[in-house]
Amino acid sequence: MIRLTEKGLIAESSTTIVEFEGARVVSVKDARTGEAFLDRGLAADVPAFDLFHQVGKISPLGVHPLASHVHTTLLTGTIAELVLEDWECDVSIRVSVDEATGDIVVEPSAWTMQGGIAGLGLNIAGIREDLDVVGPFQQGARLPMAHPQMQGKQADWPNSWEAGFIVFQGKSSGFTIQTWDDHYIFKQVRIGHEKSPQTATFVTQAYGPLEQNRCVGNVAWRISAFQGDWTVPVKRYRDWYWRAYQLDKAAAMRPAWLDEIRLAVSWCPTHTGLLDALAQRVDPQSVFLHLPRWRLYKYDQDYPAYEVSEEGRAFITKARAMGFHTAPHANACQMNPDHPFFHQARDFCTRFPADIRWGGWSWLPVEGWGSFGPPQSYSQMPANKEWNILVNVHLAWSPWRRQLTRQVAGLMRDLGLDSMFVDVSQWIHNSDNAVLEGLTYAEGSLKLIRELAELAPGFCVAGEGRNEISTQYLSMVQFHLYNFAHVAAIDGQEVGWALDATLPVSEVLFKGLSRGIGYNYGKGVNRRAMVDATLKQGAIPTLIFQTRNPVAELDGEEAQYILSHV
C-alpha cells in the first residue's frame, strides 16, 4: 500500500515501511516490529540524490533553495511516482510495492540538457551506527560503516562489488538493499558521504561513451527489512540469481572431481620434484595446481601466445600422468602491445569512460610505484617489454575470444589438460566503448568463459576472483581478501583486520558453482592471518611457495599449518 502525506509518501508492505519526504528516503522500518533502521539525526544535509559527471564533479540534487521542486502522483494503490525538478537535471522516481516479496522498489532515472552524465546515486542516509555493513566484497566482509577499512569504500559491480546487494545487519535483524538486475547495467555502491558517514549511496551508471550522454536509469533498488542474520537476505538474492540465469544448467557442467579437491597450489613452480613430494602427502587426484610459468615466454609477456616450453611440457605431462589437476595460466582480457595481433585489436581495447585512458597493467621495478596501468604515450606503449605492459581488450569483440578458445583447444589435445586458468577474469567493467557487437563487456566476459567451458564435458575453467557474472561458468577461482589485503601483506603492513572483516558471503551465493583457492602472502603473523582469512572464506587449503626450494618449504611451519587443514 502507498499513501500520500503532506511531505511525500509512505510505501508499506507486509515486511517493510519506507517513507519519503520530497524525494528523500527518510525512514526504513520493519512493518512487523516497528523497528527503525535510520536515525534522522545522522542524516542532516544529505541530498536525496547525487548526479555524477564524467569529469568527476558530483552535483547534489533536491537542495537548491529556489529551483528544486517535487511532484508526487499516486498511480495505483501500490505504485507512485515522484518527480524532482532540479537546477541540474530532472529525476523521476517510480516507487512500488512488490506484494509477492515484501520489497519496496525504488527505480530512479535522470535526464538533463548537459552532457557527460556518468551516474545517478540514491542516498540512504542516517543508517544506525550499530548496524554493520555486510557485502559481497572480495568474497565477503562485515564491518561497521565507520571502520577505516569500510568508510569511504567505492565498489564497482561486478569487479569489486561482486553481487548487487548490501545488508545492514543488527543484532538479530536489519534491512537490505538489492537490485535484481539481469541486464548487465553497471552500478556502484559507496559507503559514507561527505555530509554523513552513515550514508550508503547506490549509483546507477551510464554506459560509455559519456561525452554526449544526458540520461541514466533503469536500475530498480529493492529495500526490505528482515529478521534473523545476514544469511536470510543473501539466500533471497541467491534464489533470484539462480533462477534469473538458469544456473542449475551451468552447475551441471562442472567437473565431477571438483568437490574432491582437498589441496591447491597457487603460483605453482614448474619443479617436477615438487610433484613427488606432494604425492607423498596428498593423493594427487585431490590436488589442484595453478601453473603460471609454462610457456616459452616470460610471465605476463607475449600474450596471446600460448606455446608450451620444454620445461612446462615435462612438468604438465608428469603432473597429469600422476593425476594432478593442472591449470596452465592464461589471460582472459589482456595482451601485450608488441604482439602482432595488437594491430587488429587496438581499436577494440577498453578505455576508462571518465578520462579515456587505456586500461591495462604494467609492472615497473621501482619501489612504491603507484600506477600499474599501461603508459599512454606513443613512445612508451610499445617499448620496455620488461615492464610487462598489458592492455585490456573488450571481451565482446569476438576475434579476441576466438584467439583464446582456439589455442586452449589445441593445448587440451596436446597436453591432455582438464583445466585452464584465465587471469583477470574478475575485471568486468564499464568502458568508453561499452557496447561492441551488440554486447557489453559483462556479456562478452560471460561468453568467453562459457565458450571455454564448452570445449569439453566437465572442463574446468579457473580464474581470478569470483563475481556473479564470471562465476556462472568458472569452476575454480582464486580468492582475493577484503580490500586486496595481499598487497598490504606483501608490503609488510599489518593485516589482522582482514581476518576480522572476512565473512563467507559469496560462499552462500556461489556454492555449487565454484570453489576457491587462497591468495595468502606475507610473513609471520601476517601470513597466518592471510591463511586463516582465506580458510574463513571457504577456500581450499592453498600452498603458495615463497622460496626457490619448494620441496624444502613443504616441511616449514607455514606449509605444515596449511597441510593440517587438508
Side-chain angles (χ1 to χ4, degrees):
M1 176 183 67
I2 297 178
R3 65 182 186 274
L4 302 185
T5 66
E6 290 185 1
K7 295 182 178 181
L9 64 82
I10 296 175
E12 182 172 354
S13 72
S14 59
T15 65
T16 309
I17 303 171
V18 175
E19 182 178 356
F20 288 81
E21 288 186 0
R24 294 180 67 205
V25 173
V26 297
S27 176
V28 176
K29 293 182 179 179
D30 189 312
R32 296 154 295 190
T33 65
E35 181 181 8
F37 300 110
L38 304 186
D39 180 345
R40 293 194 186 207
L42 301 173
D45 301 325
V46 178
F49 291 89
D50 285 312
L51 186 67
F52 292 81
H53 303 260
Q54 179 184 19
V55 295
K57 174 185 173 184
I58 301 175
S59 298
L61 304 179
V63 299
H64 196 285
L66 297 177
S68 182
H69 308 285
V70 177
H71 306 281
T72 305
T73 304
L74 187 63
L75 304 182
T76 73
T78 57
I79 302 172
E81 182 188 19
L82 299 164
V83 176
L84 169 60
E85 298 173 347
D86 191 85
W87 186 270
E88 292 292 328
C89 69
D90 297 297
V91 181
S92 170
I93 307 114
R94 185 181 191 270
V95 181
S96 61
V97 178
D98 186 334
E99 295 176 323
T101 64
D103 296 344
I104 307 301
V105 185
V106 180
E107 183 177 337
S109 61
W111 62 102
T112 179
M113 292 190 290
Q114 60 186 310
I117 299 304
L120 177 66
L122 165 65
N123 291 316
I124 305 297
I127 297 169
R128 282 180 7 211
E129 292 178 331
D130 64 311
L131 299 180
D132 288 343
V133 176
V134 175
F137 307 126
Q138 287 81 47
Q139 309 316 309
R142 175 177 180 170
L143 286 172
M145 292 188 75
H147 192 285
Q149 292 294 335
M150 182 61 73
Q151 184 63 205
K153 186 171 188 63
Q154 299 177 16
D156 291 317
W157 176 94
N159 174 37
S160 53
W161 184 22
E162 294 162 341
F165 69 89
I166 294 292
V167 177
F168 300 97
Q169 175 73 61
K171 184 177 180 180
S172 57
S173 60
F175 76 103
T176 182
I177 298 182
Q178 307 187 356
T179 174
W180 295 359
D181 170 39
D182 57 358
H183 295 286
Y184 309 96
I185 298 175
F186 291 107
K187 52 196 78 80
Q188 182 190 69
V189 64
R190 294 179 167 223
I191 306 299
H193 190 280
E194 65 175 359
K195 297 294 185 180
S196 169
Q198 294 301 121
T199 300
T201 304
F202 295 86
V203 184
T204 304
Q205 296 179 323
Y207 291 140
L210 300 177
E211 287 87 346
Q212 299 298 320
N213 185 59
R214 295 178 174 85
C215 59
V216 61
N218 288 321
V219 169
W221 304 102
R222 294 173 164 266
I223 305 174
S224 63
F226 67 89
Q227 297 175 351
D229 70 7
W230 60 272
T231 61
V232 174
V234 172
K235 287 177 180 176
R236 280 193 63 216
Y237 190 88
R238 174 191 165 93
D239 290 345
W240 166 81
Y241 171 62
W242 279 66
R243 288 194 309 269
Y245 292 102
Q246 301 181 12
L247 294 180
D248 287 341
K249 297 178 182 178
M253 297 174 64
R254 268 40 185 189
W257 48 263
L258 185 62
D259 289 335
E260 299 170 4
I261 299 299
R262 298 166 51 214
L263 176 70
V265 182
S266 193
W267 308 104
C268 182
T270 46
H271 187 305
T272 55
L274 176 61
L275 297 172
D276 298 315
L278 286 170
Q280 293 173 8
R281 293 165 171 83
V282 187
D283 180 358
Q285 295 187 54
S286 65
V287 179
F288 181 85
L289 306 177
H290 160 230
L291 190 67
R293 290 175 173 81
W294 61 275
R295 300 181 303 142
L296 285 172
Y297 317 98
K298 290 185 178 181
Y299 177 75
D300 267 0
Q301 293 183 13
D302 295 283
Y303 291 140
Y306 293 105
E307 289 84 9
V308 64
S309 67
E310 290 185 11
E311 180 185 33
R313 181 180 295 277
F315 183 92
I316 294 170
T317 300
K318 180 174 181 177
R320 294 295 297 127
M322 294 176 70
F324 289 98
H325 304 285
T326 308
H329 183 103
N331 197 301
C333 62
Q334 294 177 331
M335 71 175 303
N336 301 90
D338 60 343
H339 189 282
F341 191 58
F342 182 66
H343 176 71
Q344 298 181 53
R346 60 179 296 166
D347 290 335
F348 308 103
C349 294
T350 64
R351 298 170 183 258
F352 293 106
D355 57 11
I356 325 299
R357 288 179 68 88
W358 285 64
W361 180 261
S362 61
W363 188 270
L364 277 66
V366 179
E367 185 176 355
W369 183 259
S371 174
F372 295 108
Q376 305 293 308
S377 66
Y378 290 102
S379 59
Q380 295 297 319
M381 175 69 86
N384 303 305
K385 189 181 186 74
E386 294 306 308
W387 294 354
N388 291 2
I389 293 171
L390 297 164
V391 295
N392 289 340
V393 183
H394 200 303
L395 292 184
W397 188 52
S398 297
W400 174 260
R401 300 198 308 273
R402 304 293 183 265
Q403 276 276 340
L404 188 55
T405 53
R406 182 170 59 248
Q407 294 191 63
V408 170
L411 291 166
M412 291 167 65
R413 291 189 296 269
D414 184 25
L415 299 172
L417 298 178
D418 64 354
S419 309
M420 195 78 190
F421 184 97
V422 285
D423 200 16
V424 205
S425 54
Q426 92 290 357
W427 184 236
I428 298 172
H429 57 284
N430 198 2
S431 64
D432 181 59
N433 55 345
V435 178
L436 288 183
E437 298 184 29
L439 299 180
T440 65
Y441 191 101
E443 293 167 290
S445 175
L446 187 60
K447 279 189 67 105
L448 171 66
I449 298 167
R450 185 180 68 238
E451 288 167 357
L452 289 169
E454 290 172 343
L455 289 175
F459 185 65
C460 174
V461 185
E464 180 184 9
R466 180 164 67 167
N467 61 55
E468 67 180 4
I469 300 303
S470 62
T471 298
Q472 293 181 36
Y473 292 96
L474 287 176
S475 294
M476 191 73 77
V477 290
Q478 192 178 57
F479 284 177
H480 291 296
L481 283 169
Y482 181 62
N483 282 352
F484 299 102
H486 69 279
V487 176
I490 291 171
D491 289 343
Q493 301 174 36
E494 192 275 327
V495 293
W497 54 264
L499 179 57
D500 295 335
T502 295
L503 194 70
V505 177
S506 292
E507 187 68 7
V508 175
L509 282 179
F510 303 130
K511 188 172 183 178
L513 288 174
S514 61
R515 299 189 67 196
I517 61 178
Y519 209 97
N520 40 283
Y521 280 94
K523 296 180 180 179
V525 175
N526 262 1
R527 182 77 180 278
R528 184 61 58 88
M530 296 287 284
V531 171
D532 287 341
T534 57
L535 293 172
K536 191 176 178 182
Q537 288 176 321
I540 298 163
T542 303
L543 294 167
I544 298 179
F545 297 106
Q546 300 189 88
T547 71
R548 294 183 179 275
N549 190 344
V551 175
E553 199 174 336
L554 271 177
D555 293 321
E557 180 181 354
E558 291 304 329
Q560 287 298 305
Y561 180 71
I562 293 166
L563 289 168
S564 72
H565 289 83
V566 172

